[in-house]
Amino acid sequence: MAVVKLNDLKPGMKLTEPVFNINGNLLLREGVELTARHISILKAWGVSQVEVDSQEKTDQRKPELNPQVLCALQERLRTKFFGVLNNEIMREIMRIAEKQAIRKLMLASTRESRG
Amino acid sequence: MGRRLDTVLKQIYTLPTLPVVLTTVLELIRNPKTSAADIGRVISKDQILTARLLKLVNSAFYGFPRRISTVSHAITVIGFDALTNLILATSVLDIFPKENQEGGFDYEGFWEHSIGTAAGAKVIAGFISYNGKEELFVAGLLHDIGKIVEAQFMQKEFLKVREEIHNNAGLMVNEEAKILGYTHARIGGELIDKWGLPASLVEPVALHHEPQLAREFPRQTAAVHLADILCRAKDIGYGGDNKIPPLNPVAWESLGLRISDIEPIMERMETEFEATISALYPSSTSERGTPPGEQKWRER
Amino acid sequence: MERTISSGDVQKFAEQLEEARKRISALEYTNQAVLEYLSRLESSGEFQEKIELSYDIPQIFEVLLKEIRRLIRTEACALFTVAPDSYEFVLKAAMPDESKDICQQEIKAQIEYGIFSWALTQRKLTMVPPLFLNRHKLRGKNVILAPLTTSNKTIGMLLIVTSLEGKYIPKESLKLLSIVAKQTSFAIENALLYQELKQYNRMLEQRVTERTRELQENNKKLLSANGKLVETNVRLKEMERVKTEFLANVSHELRTPLTSIIGFSEVLLDGLGGDLTEQQKEYIRNIHGSGKRLLTLVNDMLDLSRIESGKMSVHCTQFDLKDLMEELNPVVLPLIKKKRQKFTIDIPDDIPSVYADRFKVRQIILNLLDNASKFTPPEGKIEVNCRLKREADARKVLLISISDTGIGIKPEDQELIFAPFRQVDGSPSRQFEGTGLGLAICKRLVEMHGGKIWVESQQGKGSTFHFTLPLENGELESREEEGDQNCEEASRDFSEIEKDQRGDSSWPG
């Protein structure tokens, strides 16, 4: 499973996820083997990247997040969102914010660990 | 109270004005017969502006696949209104200080937050199929400009406001209302109105904390309102306080988004912000994961 | 303090004046341009009207092209729409015709370089230098890509090749082109929907036509079937009428000579024609008997036919069975005495009166007694019994039973005997004469009263015939629907019957 940018797509690659256009229409199903025509269609719709079948092993090692840091992050968010969480949209925003913050921190720690 | 704001603004003689080139462009654009070449000619006289614009147009901000080498070319590609808004964006950043000086107002945090909101508004424009994404970008960029006015021209009161925010851990708009009688949103609106900017920018800026009051441009106002909230949620820059204002239900309605759109919007905001900040604010050395603005305040 | 005006001031003043004048003329120029633009916009109204009336892509393209040419110098123009299944952008119309290939190639290049998708996601008209056209003879200097979108949906892309330099094209032309593109998008969406609707409509129409044809055929079949039914009905009625007429005629034609035969033979037997020898008397008695039997047959047949065709109806009155039996006594007794059979009547006093047709009940009882006597050997016993019976539905009816000590009836024959023209013994040498119609007629007559008739019998021991009659008015089943309401007398009036019985020499001994 690899994410390939549109310009790097070659005919013969096989899709592992379905591809949609900006209107939400299904352009290509998963499992489709790409032809030049398919690639042209993706380019016309401005699909920036797709997931294809690949041989390389993805780095499975997931970085560890310091639990203290995680706690501090959640505390911050809770303070920030205090009093406005009665709305489900606000709860969703907080959830995504937490998710993205954690990811950022993990990426940062990965970078650090890599030196 | 409203009259006080007027008087205050009238008294501020040293209120910054828009650069001449921008006002000339705005005038030119009103003429339907203007061509890209005409505008290009005007802008080219300002080399720094030209360079900035071309950098912006060629950056990930636009993601145009080919290199654009002249302003007139840029206009044919992105359009007149888009270019005008870009000039506006770059000019505004020139008018006001970008770096933190003595005095305490966190300009860097401020601009980061403004650019973050601008990026957010631009992304939202795409999700609601609104064709004026550059316009929303500028509205987002300018939404908190009133704070700079307060910081520069109402220092005493503004200091008090910041003290109260810190003591009560409250929202800036609430403290402003208590101490000043008006909010930075209204001030900002007044300023850009004075500048002669279109109403489609004035209303979103003035009412971004009260989007339900928007009459002429409810969708644009709602977009800026939401972008501001998302920006604070993502901790991009410093909005002046550490609280998140509640999402106004009227605003959410007028946007017509689904709750499932929030995740992709917040994802795209990230990329958009990165692209913008490198194109507009190259002097920013802030790394992602910077300690929050609150800590900066404590440092002072 | 007075201040004198220096030359410097005048200079400044003149400069400012010049500046002001410049600005004013610039503003005037702008104003003029705006007015022109607005009028151009207004005249685009014609385009809007026309395009709204267009129903298919070729028509839309024609109107569109005319407008584009008004706004900008067009070398070539091509319209691409999104294919509904593959979401590919397909060339639908191009002008001039020869430029089709070139336009395809240009678009392909624009897609390849990502400018096509960029314009699409921008949702705004964009002008770019051509990528393919440069190598071609076409004098294209600039290519305009105008995405065709409606609200959220992407309909297609418009490609315009112009010989003008992009940067010299006035803002208003581009603005108007954007408006035109927008309107075209909606027109195309409408046209596509219209086509879909038309197709759907055509399909519905087809189905309706088919269905109508089916129904019409069915209808025809039904009509012919109905016609046949009507025909058959008419024929049946005709047959019925013929039969009735026939029977009426026949019976009349038969009865007349029969009456003569019977009458004259009686006259002779009475000695009114002179003295007769014993031999002669025997022969005449034979003739008389045969005549009587023949008359009986004819009458029976007529009766049955009348009952079957519903031309007989019941005339009901309330009467006592005891009275009826007393009436019958003189008729019945002689015949039974002849065979020295014992005859008893057992009718309780508290039996209520019956509601029935008196003549027909006479007929039934006489017939049953006749049979009883016929099939019982000399010295046998015949009894008439009457009781109240409660039916299964709690109705009370009168049960009349006529029993004998005769030869009995085989179980398998017990139902057959009520069928017309059936006698128990079908062999040629019939011991007992009779038309075989008697019991059939009895059954019909009993049923016309809403009653039932049946037999209990043991071979060699005897038989008991039962039948039921209603007690009161309301208990009678309506049998009148079986025919017309004409009240007809039973074919036999009792004077005839009595005449039969009196001439008892005819009875088989």
Side-chain angles (χ1 to χ4, degrees), chain C residues 279-296:
Chain C
Q279 186 79 31
Q280 283 169 325
K281 276 200 198 145
E282 210 189 299
Y283 288 157
I284 294 171
R285 254 179 256 137
N286 219 314
I287 293 166
H288 184 252
S290 300
K292 290 296 267 312
R293 277 199 299 280
L294 206 52
L295 187 64
T296 309

Side-chain angles (χ1 to χ4, degrees), chain B residues 129-171:
Chain B
S129 304
Y130 179 64
N131 274 348
K133 64 181 191 305
E134 292 86 2
E135 185 186 76
L136 276 184
F137 179 84
V138 173
L141 191 67
L142 293 173
H143 82 288
D144 271 350
I145 210 91
K147 288 185 192 158
I148 294 192
V149 175
E150 287 173 0
Q152 293 206 324
F153 304 103
M154 296 179 237
Q155 275 137 357
K156 258 206 306 232
E157 293 97 326
F158 194 55
L159 198 65
K160 216 157 159 246
V161 168
R162 275 150 64 200
E163 263 175 33
E164 287 302 303
I165 291 172
H166 184 68
N167 295 338
N168 306 337
L171 266 174

Side-chain angles (χ1 to χ4, degrees), chain C residues 384-403:
Chain C
V384 175
N385 220 300
C386 189
R387 294 278 179 274
L388 268 182
K389 181 174 187 274
R390 193 179 277 274
E391 289 283 41
D393 56 1
R395 267 189 312 142
K396 279 213 212 117
V397 292
L398 205 66
L399 177 66
I400 301 156
S401 316
I402 296 170
S403 44

Side-chain angles (χ1 to χ4, degrees), chain B residues 30 35 58 87-88 93 140 151 205 208 263 279:
Chain B
R30 285 200 200 101
S35 70
N58 282 306
I87 301 174
L88 192 51
L93 281 166
V205 169
H208 74 267
E263 182 155 11

Side-chain angles (χ1 to χ4, degrees), chain C residues 47-54 60 63-64 183-184 187:
Chain C
F47 161 74
Q48 183 169 346
E49 270 179 46
K50 284 233 187 81
I51 204 138
E52 275 176 14
L53 293 173
S54 312
I60 291 174
V63 177
L64 173 67
Q183 287 171 327
T184 308

Side-chain angles (χ1 to χ4, degrees), chain C residues 313-328:
Chain C
S313 44
V314 283
H315 255 270
C316 295
T317 52
Q318 207 89 24
F319 62 90
D320 273 324
L321 202 63
K322 259 196 158 162
D323 284 337
L324 185 66
M325 289 316 296
E326 272 182 35
E327 236 177 70
L328 288 178

Side-chain angles (χ1 to χ4, degrees), chain B:
Chain B
M1 289 291 198
R3 241 183 316 135
R4 249 197 83 184
L5 176 59
D6 262 1
T7 19
V8 165
L9 284 180
K10 276 209 191 88
Q11 283 162 6
I12 302 171
Y13 297 110
T14 54
L15 255 186
T17 50
L18 291 178
V20 174
V21 76
L22 183 56
T23 42
T24 317
V25 169
L26 283 175
E27 254 183 54
L28 267 180
I29 271 205
R30 285 200 200 101
N31 186 338
K33 291 234 185 291
T34 303
S35 70
D38 298 330
I39 301 209
R41 219 175 298 129
V42 168
I43 294 177
S44 312
K45 294 197 189 127
D46 185 336
Q47 284 181 344
I48 300 173
L49 180 62
T50 307
R52 270 223 205 92
L53 283 177
L54 289 179
K55 181 170 181 190
L56 198 56
V57 168
N58 282 306
S59 75
F61 184 86
Y62 265 107
F64 189 71
R66 310 276 279 166
R67 181 159 171 75
I68 299 167
S69 46
T70 62
V71 172
S72 48
H73 187 196
I75 297 175
T76 61
V77 168
I78 66 173
F80 289 87
D81 298 319
L83 188 90
T84 317
N85 281 312
L86 285 191
I87 301 174
L88 192 51
T90 49
S91 304
V92 156
L93 281 166
D94 269 346
I95 298 170
F96 297 107
K98 282 205 276 274
E99 272 112 27
N100 291 345
Q101 311 131 347
E102 300 301 321
F105 184 71
D106 180 8
Y107 283 99
E108 284 161 23
F110 169 83
W111 282 118
E112 225 181 276
H113 172 72
S114 297
I115 293 174
T117 308
K122 183 166 171 252
V123 168
I124 293 172
F127 275 78
I128 62 173
S129 304
Y130 179 64
N131 274 348
K133 64 181 191 305
E134 292 86 2
E135 185 186 76
L136 276 184
F137 179 84
V138 173
L141 191 67
L142 293 173
H143 82 288
D144 271 350
I145 210 91
K147 288 185 192 158
I148 294 192
V149 175
E150 287 173 0
Q152 293 206 324
F153 304 103
M154 296 179 237
Q155 275 137 357
K156 258 206 306 232
E157 293 97 326
F158 194 55
L159 198 65
K160 216 157 159 246
V161 168
R162 275 150 64 200
E163 263 175 33
E164 287 302 303
I165 291 172
H166 184 68
N167 295 338
N168 306 337
L171 266 174
M172 182 173 258
V173 275
N174 297 336
E175 304 302 334
E176 279 174 334
K178 271 196 279 185
I179 297 168
L180 297 170
Y182 39 80
T183 64
H184 61 272
R186 297 282 186 160
I187 297 178
E190 288 287 334
L191 176 63
I192 64 177
D193 188 36
K194 250 173 164 273
W195 278 348
L197 292 185
S200 53
L201 287 175
V202 175
E203 201 175 52
V205 169
L207 297 177
H208 74 267
H209 280 296
E210 304 155 277
Q212 73 278 10
L213 296 179
R215 288 280 159 271
E216 287 172 65
F217 305 96
R219 285 213 307 168
Q220 293 86 322
T221 312
V224 174
H225 170 77
L226 178 62
D228 179 41
I229 290 172
L230 295 180
C231 201
R232 288 163 187 264
K234 285 173 75 69
D235 244 348
I236 299 178
Y238 178 55
D241 51 41
N242 275 317
K243 278 282 162 50
I244 298 201
L247 175 61
N248 186 294
V250 174
W252 178 254
E253 272 296 316
S254 62
L255 288 173
L257 289 169
R258 294 165 295 193
I259 209 171
S260 53
D261 291 326
I262 294 192
E263 182 155 11
I265 289 176
M266 286 174 81
E267 286 284 327
R268 286 259 267 278
M269 257 177 84
E270 198 75 47
T271 349
E272 201 63 47
F273 176 66
E274 301 284 334
T276 312
I277 200 122
S278 53
L280 267 185
Y281 201 39
S283 54
S284 160
T285 50
S286 51
E287 277 180 6
R288 303 289 76 84
T290 312
E294 192 184 329
Q295 287 193 0
K296 272 200 187 147
W297 162 254
R298 278 209 274 268
E299 274 165 9
R300 275 186 274 280

